[in-house]
Amino acid sequence: MDRTALAPRVRVEVLVDADDRRAALHDATFWGLRDTPKQVPAIWLYDERGSRLFDEITRLPEYYLTRREREILVARAPEIASVTQADTLVELGSGTSEKTRLLLDALAAEGTLGRFAPLDVSEEVLVQSAYAIAEEYPSIAVHGVVGDFERHLPSIPDGGRRLVAFLGSTIGNLPPDARGRFLRSVATSIGPDDALLLGLDLVKDPARIEAAYNDAAGVSERFQRNALAHLDRELGSGFTRARFDYLARWDALNEWVELGFRSAGAQVVQVPELGVEVSFADVERLRVEVSTKFRRERFEEELRAAGLALERWWTDAGGDFALCLAVRASV
Ligand SMILES: C[S@@+](CC[C@H](N)C(=O)[O-])C[C@H]1O[C@@H](n2cnc3c(N)ncnc32)[C@H](O)[C@@H]1O
């Protein structure tokens, strides 16, 4: 790929420089390790290796989420383009923007597409996919943002009529408080002609949900363990030398899958960069992320509480996954 030739149409804005990112992450890790259960921020999952492992997960036979979401996009992208008439597609947590091509194609066919604005915390992946999309779509501008969707929504590229997509059920990784803050921040950051498109994994048989995160090839476990390796590299900690068993279990009360580890025996892990040592009891949990599963009524209520209104709700044929289109609620 000739990046120089594409450069006039590609702009990458960096909202989190390395120092800013490090300070926020260290702070969140410091406090997370004091929480009950102990936890570390899910952002540790996404270094370059983590992003590659996540891509592998999306192709696993047990991981139905990506295939179901794709099925809905194939069926509904033209309708989404026609309803929204968006000229700018903003994508939060864009990763490789694999499924996003379906939306870009539909908006291009609708004749409205002028700009693509992916936002991701992982700079390498963002830059790569920004240039790849600029090459595939020669008539659009690409404005990538290296940023945090929990902090930088007010700075997403503005102007025009925007469709803000947040796919892959990534919103399910935010626990309820953080999800409420995120949705409120969307409501204040979008205009009356903009729309929000969310991918949501739905509540279903717990055995199928747990199987999606306990794949036979062990990729999901490697993905979670990579977060510990990333922590060790940046904080000089000893998580990978300690003994932890992988944990991916359905929590029926919260309707989420908890992903992380259980301590195999009582042990102490040093975290020199944070100046702490962390004691784990036998089988004590260390949470890395949760993956919430949704129900339509309850989610509609969450949207309403955040000042958003549900416009459309589409599911795949089996009812496993939903795409939901929301707009700012009128006052
Ligand atoms: C579950 S993956 C989903 C990727 C893709 N959207 C999909 O549907 O397959 C989550 C993506 O969000 C990014 N991410 C995670 N936390 C983030 C944050 N706080 N701010 C911005 N991006 C984040 C990761 O780097 C990763 O690309």
Side-chain angles (χ1 to χ4, degrees), residues 4-200:
T4 320
L6 298 169
R9 284 191 294 114
V10 179
R11 175 176 164 210
V12 176
E13 197 180 346
V14 181
L15 297 181
V16 267
D17 65 22
D19 288 345
D20 178 27
R21 180 182 162 281
R22 191 175 304 119
L25 200 49
H26 287 200
D27 191 60
T29 307
F30 183 88
W31 291 110
L33 289 171
R34 280 170 168 68
D35 241 332
T36 310
K38 293 183 172 70
Q39 49 193 302
V40 295
I43 286 195
W44 289 112
L45 291 164
Y46 292 102
D47 58 0
E48 208 192 341
R49 177 163 185 265
S51 300
R52 267 206 319 275
L53 284 168
F54 180 76
D55 245 27
E56 241 182 271
I57 288 175
T58 64
R59 290 188 289 275
L60 292 170
E62 297 91 339
Y63 195 80
Y64 59 85
L65 291 81
T66 310
R67 280 186 300 279
R68 297 293 175 261
E69 187 174 43
R70 171 177 284 279
E71 179 187 328
I72 310 172
L73 282 167
V74 166
R76 303 295 185 176
E79 191 180 342
I80 294 166
S82 152
V83 171
T84 61
Q85 293 291 303
D87 55 51
T88 297
L89 177 62
V90 177
E91 184 179 17
L92 307 177
S94 45
T96 53
S97 294
E98 188 66 32
K99 287 161 296 185
T100 316
R101 267 90 168 167
L102 294 163
L103 289 171
L104 290 168
D105 289 345
L107 290 166
E110 189 67 23
T112 55
L113 183 67
R115 182 170 57 155
F116 177 53
L119 177 148
D120 205 286
V121 75
S122 170
E123 181 164 359
E124 294 240 344
V125 175
L126 180 98
V127 171
Q128 256 171 37
S129 58
Y131 278 96
I133 286 193
E135 191 174 43
E136 284 169 49
Y137 297 84
S139 62
I140 68 168
V142 179
H143 182 166
V145 180
V146 180
D148 183 339
F149 52 61
E150 292 196 74
R151 293 194 290 147
H152 297 124
L153 290 189
S155 310
I156 56 176
D158 58 6
R161 209 177 163 101
R162 297 172 299 177
L163 171 61
V164 179
F166 196 25
L167 303 178
S169 206
T170 305
I171 192 171
N173 299 136
L174 302 176
D177 284 0
R179 198 159 67 234
R181 279 195 299 278
F182 170 83
L183 290 172
R184 284 196 297 279
S185 176
V186 171
T188 50
S189 306
I190 63 174
D193 295 328
D194 297 336
L196 171 68
L197 182 71
L198 287 168
L200 303 171

Side-chain angles (χ1 to χ4, degrees), residues 283-299:
V283 305
E284 184 175 349
R285 287 175 290 154
L286 174 63
R287 178 187 292 168
V288 179
E289 65 175 347
V290 296
S291 181
T292 310
K293 308 304 169 191
F294 296 92
R295 295 178 189 271
R296 178 175 177 163
E297 264 95 76
R298 202 176 300 163
F299 192 68

Side-chain angles (χ1 to χ4, degrees), residues 237-259:
S237 49
F239 285 102
T240 42
R241 287 189 300 280
R243 283 169 47 242
F244 286 101
D245 296 326
Y246 175 60
L247 171 76
R249 59 154 200 147
W250 175 242
D251 174 336
L253 188 68
N254 292 299
E255 295 196 320
W256 66 40
V257 181
E258 173 167 356
L259 296 154

Side-chain angles (χ1 to χ4, degrees), residues 198-227:
L198 287 168
L200 303 171
D201 192 19
L202 302 177
V203 174
K204 61 181 70 59
D205 175 10
R208 278 188 62 216
I209 296 176
E210 281 189 344
Y213 302 91
N214 285 290
D215 57 287
V219 186
S220 299
E221 176 173 349
R222 285 206 290 285
F223 179 56
Q224 296 294 325
R225 287 201 183 278
N226 184 59

